[in-house]
Amino acid sequence: MPTAHAHAAILSVGDELILGQSLDTNTRWIADRLLDLGVRPLLHATAPDDRADIAAEMVRLAGRADLVVVTGGLGPTADDLTRDALADATGEALVEDSDTLGRLAAWYEGRGQPMPAPNRVQAMRPARARCLPNDHGTAPGLSAALGGADIFCLPGPPGEMRPMFQRFVEPALRPGLLVRTRAVQVFGLGESRVAELLGDLMRRENSPLVGTTASVGLVTVRMRWESAPGAPPDAAAGALDRVEARVRELLGDAVITPSGAPGDRGLPEVVVGMLRERGRTLAIAESCTGGLLGSMVTRVPGSSEVFAGGWITYTNAMKAAQLGVDASHFPEVRSGAPGAVSAEVCLAMAEGARRRAATAHPGGSGPGAGGTDHAIAITGIAGPGGATEGKPVGTVWIGLADRDGRTECRRFEFAGDRDAVRQWSAMTALGMLRMRLAGTDMELLRQRERRP
Ligand code: ATP
């Protein structure tokens, strides 16, 4: 048994992962958890459903790391070979674990079904290994000593793997590091511009170490402080407070994470939080995003307090009929008209949605009756078809209208495929509303024009 778990290796098992038919999300989740808990991931590996390959990988990884976490291959079928491979790797025979067999029988009894015969194999374990009960499925996990390392085998489905990791692996860890992390998110600046602004703060030899990752316009600045176990935790908090303050100072208004809030809070959560704090309401009119923005907003718990509703007006006729957009903006009605993807139509959609959204029952009154405080409209060309002269694929207008009569509209040229253009559009719309609510302003990534 190792004195400390300084380094970990993660092994995922399954032909479907090797063949690219499903994505290995377990490794990412486990690596992230381990680092947070003070065990540094050193190696990732993937093995096919092959007993000898899995056993060889287990032995190899146990020679490199103090902790090996394996996921997958614990089911009852002939291609689930992790159990046998662990027996081969440890050189032990498989024995039946009576507690586990009892639990399996009870699992099926609780569901009013007889236990299928193949499931009995799931009660087998290498002689000196321990079975880990699975509260969310039938496949029990296993833990054992292998060479100088501790090895844990967990089921493949993330909904079974994660609770088992938290219940059995986390309490068994003897971290080789004391790690504390912090993150803030930034919207509107590219990752390279963020790196440029952070400058020397991102030097690899710094402590805390500062790094960035980017996804759909959102840049996450991560700060990590590491020390030997036993270092005073106050030192970590002080060092992270100082570096976070400096990050906020250097990136200014582009930082969207409120002070003291968790750094993984997304843009929809931030915007809904700001609307709730201010007691404001929102309506949405979408064209090329087809409801994506509404979906992002309504995924946030508590959004019902602020989100009145919205429209997906895909055709010009719907934009005119539902939102009151003047039909003479459309070329089929007037030649030379600006068309659906224009500042005129975008602003008319936003204003139409804001005014037409009901925030009180018919005939009712009270604050907010007759329209919302804010509205967002999106109209653009997501591609791959639909480009016209002067309007390439990725051209998107995003508009805001407020109860006080203020409006704003910006044109963007987003890159990427249809899905990317739609994601960028919805995120950028939220970014614009956040700036409006925060009373800040900046030119955004991929922005080409703004009105007024
Ligand atoms: P079960 O008895 O529930 O099948 P198992 O341990 O045998 O558990 P596998 O058969 O290997 O698990 O995988 C079951 C499913 O779990 C896979 O089809 C896949 O959806 C998911 N899964 C497996 N490995 C991973 C992984 N590394 N990342 C994400 N999902 C995974």
Side-chain angles (χ1 to χ4, degrees):
M1 183 192 277
T3 50
H5 296 124
H7 294 116
I10 303 165
L11 173 62
S12 43
V13 175
D15 283 350
E16 77 279 13
L17 303 170
I18 295 277
L19 299 176
Q21 291 160 349
S22 72
L23 193 64
D24 177 3
T25 58
N26 286 348
T27 295
R28 180 188 156 171
W29 187 88
I30 292 168
D32 193 48
R33 287 296 301 149
L34 286 173
L35 188 60
D36 262 357
L37 293 162
V39 182
R40 189 189 296 281
L42 187 71
L43 276 171
H44 298 174
T46 311
D49 292 319
D50 179 279
R51 182 171 172 166
D53 280 337
I54 303 168
E57 282 301 294
M58 286 174 169
V59 171
R60 179 177 77 91
L61 298 177
R64 297 286 307 275
D66 316 298
L67 174 76
V68 181
V69 183
V70 184
T71 69
L74 290 173
T77 56
D79 60 358
D80 289 310
L81 295 161
T82 297
R83 198 176 301 102
D84 305 80
L86 183 63
D88 294 347
T90 55
E92 295 166 21
L94 284 172
V95 299
E96 191 167 77
D97 187 277
S98 54
D99 286 354
T100 303
L101 190 61
R103 260 193 301 272
L104 277 172
W107 165 275
Y108 282 101
E109 209 175 294
R111 281 160 183 73
Q113 301 163 9
M115 184 170 89
N119 280 80
R120 196 176 173 114
V121 76
Q122 291 184 297
M124 303 297 282
R125 60 168 168 79
R128 281 186 293 166
R130 178 179 159 219
C131 284
L132 311 174
N134 183 347
D135 293 333
H136 301 85
T138 59
L142 293 167
S143 77
L146 178 58
D150 290 322
I151 182 164
F152 288 86
C153 302
L154 309 178
E160 299 176 34
M161 181 279 289
R162 293 179 188 191
M164 198 181 281
F165 182 93
Q166 285 160 337
R167 183 170 163 199
F168 294 105
V169 182
E170 291 187 12
L173 293 180
R174 292 181 299 283
L177 292 169
L178 181 64
V179 178
R180 294 289 179 271
T181 57
R182 190 108 26 113
V184 296
Q185 295 197 322
V186 175
F187 191 81
L189 300 175
E191 192 177 13
S192 50
R193 178 71 185 133
V194 170
E196 188 176 273
L197 290 168
L198 293 179
D200 282 350
L201 221 52
M202 288 186 70
R203 288 164 70 114
R204 301 299 297 163
E205 60 272 26
N206 285 0
S207 173
L209 191 63
V210 178
T212 59
T213 52
S215 166
V216 201
L218 204 63
V219 178
T220 305
V221 181
R222 297 181 195 280
M223 294 151 265
R224 194 169 88 237
W225 183 91
E226 284 184 11
S227 176
D234 295 359
L240 286 169
D241 285 348
R242 280 190 296 280
V243 78
E244 183 184 336
R246 187 80 185 116
V247 167
R248 286 179 178 275
E249 190 183 317
L250 291 168
L251 302 180
D253 290 340
V255 174
I256 66 156
T257 309
S259 271
D264 59 358
R265 186 179 289 183
L267 193 48
E269 285 82 358
V270 168
V271 170
V272 168
M274 292 173 88
L275 289 165
R276 287 175 75 178
E277 272 166 27
R278 290 161 176 74
R280 307 267 183 83
T281 51
L282 173 67
I284 290 174
E286 297 184 64
S287 187
C288 63
T289 45
L292 183 62
L293 179 58
S295 166
M296 284 183 179
V297 169
T298 52
R299 266 179 47 205
V300 181
S303 52
S304 59
E305 284 175 32
V306 298
F307 181 55
W311 287 260
I312 303 170
T313 53
Y314 221 51
T315 60
N316 293 345
M318 283 288 281
K319 292 177 180 74
Q322 295 292 309
L323 299 171
V325 176
D326 184 346
S328 70
H329 288 320
F330 301 120
E332 63 267 30
V333 174
R334 178 173 65 86
S335 72
V341 182
S342 65
E344 290 83 347
V345 169
C346 188
L347 283 174
M349 286 170 68
E351 190 47 28
R354 200 201 65 72
R355 272 189 288 107
R356 293 186 177 202
T359 49
H361 293 288
S365 61
T372 51
D373 300 307
H374 302 276
I376 304 177
I378 302 176
T379 175
I381 305 160
T388 55
E389 178 75 30
K391 292 180 186 173
V393 165
T395 301
V396 179
W397 280 94
I398 303 176
L400 298 179
D402 289 359
R403 186 185 292 285
D404 66 9
R406 274 197 305 166
T407 56
E408 171 190 350
C409 202
R410 304 188 191 201
R411 179 172 63 86
F412 298 87
E413 280 178 28
F414 297 123
D417 62 9
R418 186 176 176 86
D419 204 38
V421 171
R422 285 154 49 89
Q423 292 279 344
W424 272 86
S425 301
M427 287 291 280
T428 303
L430 288 169
M432 279 175 58
L433 180 59
R434 187 201 72 88
M435 288 196 296
R436 172 63 58 93
L437 293 168
T440 61
D441 191 25
M442 59 188 275
E443 305 304 306
L444 292 170
L445 220 54
R446 315 261 160 91
Q447 184 185 316
R448 297 286 181 268
E449 187 183 343
R450 64 188 287 179
R451 306 223 194 130

